[in-house]
Amino acid sequence: MSAALDSLLDLLDLEQIERDIFRGMSRSAVVPRVFGGQVAAQALVAAGRTVPGDRGAHSLHAYFLRAGDPGAPIVYSVDRIRDGKSFTTRRVVAVQHGQPIFHLSASFQSYEEGLEHQASMPASPDPETLPTAAEMLPRYADRFSDPGMVDRLIEARDAVDLRYVDAPPFGTVGEAREPRSQVWFRTNGKLADDPLLHVCMATYVSDMTLLDSVLLAHGRGGWAVGDVVGASLDHAMWFHRPFRADEWLLYDQESPSASGGRGLGQARIYTADGRLAITVIQEGVVRVPRAPGMSAT
């Protein structure tokens, strides 16, 4: 297991300070705010720790309310909304400095048999043939005005092996492309056999690249380049079938719409053997900055 993955696992291992109240810390991020995937994953950890172990997460719906302060702890308060015969519902509010920064509703279900069908997995190359972040990112160093950006992007991906199938948005600035993007990902090390941990790790990664397809449609490089200002607004996930986040997963993403200063991304995550594991939808702020080179906020 990499040291970065070990650090991320520590981050997800929340401190319980009272019944249904948990506290988490943040890791350094590329931007001066808490990474949204971290807050979502920690909130799901908090919710899952109040649910019977035989009920797995099957969906979450969340809103990002305020930018998080990476230098302050985050307190997660869990409301036990419902405990039914098959389903359990939890609501989680994340608070910093006395204000809510994020809230999440999650539903958990005990396993049962049912009807089965799924969308077919799209074509994609073998992830082992694709460059790692450490191999790929230095190629685009000249796209960033900040000379330290490449190193910070690589560090942000140390815990997860994330590989782009095609060039990322900052690799084709000024060139409008089809609003579709694929990445393969897995953790940089083996995880424990805890289904909640794998779901939370996928939740963490799901916020990394989902709005890439919005940028591709307009030839924008992204917040790291400085030609858009953006932030996640809401996030929804449905967990269809069991998977492991330490084995290769294909994140197939597209954007059906951008308007009103917002962009919508939707995606499907498949296991390497073609099973549809997760569906993801996210809307985010995607604005053209008023002044050239303005960084994301």
Side-chain angles (χ1 to χ4, degrees):
M1 180 183 297
S2 71
L5 178 57
D6 193 46
S7 175
L8 178 55
L9 292 174
D10 285 343
L11 204 68
L12 296 180
D13 187 16
L14 302 180
E15 175 191 3
Q16 185 166 1
I17 57 177
E18 184 54 85
R19 184 180 187 267
D20 299 343
I21 301 177
F22 302 85
R23 179 164 53 205
M25 303 303 293
S26 299
R27 66 184 306 192
S28 58
V30 181
V31 293
R33 63 172 184 257
V34 177
F35 171 52
Q38 175 205 302
V39 183
Q42 287 180 326
L44 190 57
V45 169
R49 289 189 176 176
T50 70
V51 175
D54 63 344
R55 298 194 175 191
H58 76 85
S59 71
L60 67 83
H61 302 263
Y63 281 91
F64 298 91
L65 306 176
R66 292 178 175 86
D69 175 3
I74 306 172
V75 174
Y76 296 90
S77 178
V78 182
D79 288 336
R80 301 183 181 230
I81 302 298
R82 180 175 183 269
D83 290 289
K85 292 182 179 180
S86 300
F87 292 89
T88 294
T89 307
R90 295 291 185 261
R91 181 174 59 206
V92 183
V93 178
V95 176
Q96 270 189 325
H97 305 303
Q99 292 185 312
I101 64 169
F102 175 87
H103 74 72
L104 169 144
S105 293
S107 185
F108 300 77
Q109 180 191 16
S110 56
Y111 176 78
E112 61 182 84
E113 298 287 346
L115 302 175
E116 280 278 343
H117 78 275
Q118 69 162 70
S120 298
M121 181 179 181
S124 187
D126 183 339
E128 299 288 354
T129 67
L130 302 173
T132 65
E135 294 167 340
M136 179 269 291
L137 285 165
R139 302 175 189 173
Y140 304 111
D142 61 341
R143 309 298 169 91
F144 309 115
S145 58
D146 181 349
M149 183 58 71
V150 168
D151 289 339
R152 293 208 301 277
L153 287 170
I154 291 174
E155 181 181 359
R157 288 161 169 76
D158 274 351
V160 178
D161 188 351
L162 189 148
R163 306 190 186 193
Y164 279 87
V165 171
D166 296 306
F170 48 79
T172 55
V173 177
E175 176 189 338
R177 293 158 51 188
E178 182 183 4
R180 296 187 63 90
S181 176
Q182 286 185 341
V183 298
W184 285 92
F185 72 88
R186 66 179 177 185
T187 57
N188 266 323
K190 196 74 171 175
L191 299 177
D193 296 332
D194 177 359
L196 178 63
L197 176 60
H198 291 264
V199 165
C200 291
M201 195 63 70
T203 300
Y204 177 88
V205 178
S206 69
D207 191 41
M208 285 184 170
T209 62
L210 186 50
L211 298 182
D212 279 2
S213 51
V214 177
L215 305 177
L216 292 174
H218 302 275
R220 297 282 168 170
W223 56 265
V225 172
D227 59 358
V228 295
V229 176
S232 302
L233 288 172
D234 59 7
H235 199 81
M237 302 180 73
W238 292 264
F239 305 99
H240 308 300
R241 294 170 179 84
F243 64 90
R244 294 190 64 93
D246 54 7
E247 297 177 353
W248 285 118
L249 297 168
L250 175 65
Y251 200 4
D252 186 61
Q253 305 152 102
E254 64 176 339
S255 174
S257 176
S259 65
R262 307 182 316 276
L264 185 70
Q266 59 186 29
R268 292 168 176 162
I269 298 178
Y270 293 86
T271 62
D273 61 359
R275 290 178 294 114
L276 177 57
I278 312 169
T279 297
V280 192
I281 297 180
Q282 181 183 85
E283 189 171 49
V285 172
V286 183
R287 295 175 177 145
V288 177
R290 296 177 183 175
M294 181 186 294
S295 63
T297 58

